[in-house]
Amino acid sequence: MDIAYIAMVLPFLGIGIGFFAIWSNHQQKMMRYQSKISAEKAAQYANSNMELEQRVRVLERIITDKGFDVSVQIDDLRDTSDMKELN
């Protein structure tokens, strides 16, 4: 009776191990995919952060510089940024 029981359980055990291997492989692929997405988002945030820091520096420079017309400086900066976008 013990051999019959083992003979019945053994195929199910093999199927279970197969399902576990497929599930485990899927989980690894999902982790790699999410890691890639996270790295891309981090790069985008870093780039956006650098752009914002540059804009803040420009604004600080405009505010702290005395003796120049603020509207002229803003127009000059707009012209410069338009040229960069065209390149």
Side-chain angles (χ1 to χ4, degrees):
M1 183 147 162
D2 290 331
I3 294 175
Y5 179 72
I6 292 174
M8 279 181 30
V9 172
L10 198 57
F12 292 111
L13 184 62
I15 291 170
I17 291 172
F19 280 133
F20 179 76
I22 291 170
W23 176 81
S24 177
N25 188 22
H26 174 71
Q27 292 297 321
Q28 288 176 356
K29 286 180 182 178
M30 291 300 295
M31 288 174 61
R32 277 185 256 146
Y33 176 72
Q34 288 183 353
S35 175
K36 180 181 175 184
I37 289 174
S38 295
E40 289 173 357
K41 283 184 181 181
Q44 289 174 350
Y45 290 142
N47 188 30
S48 177
N49 190 31
M50 284 180 18
E51 290 174 2
L52 289 173
E53 286 177 2
Q54 290 173 350
R55 293 177 79 179
V56 168
R57 283 189 204 108
V58 169
L59 291 172
E60 287 173 344
R61 193 172 55 228
I62 290 172
I63 291 171
T64 57
D65 283 348
K66 295 178 184 171
F68 291 107
D69 189 16
V70 173
S71 63
V72 172
Q73 285 185 344
I74 291 173
D75 289 337
D76 289 343
L77 291 171
R78 283 186 183 147
D79 293 338
T80 304
S81 67
D82 289 341
M83 293 298 251
K84 285 181 183 176
E85 289 176 5
L86 292 175
N87 293 332

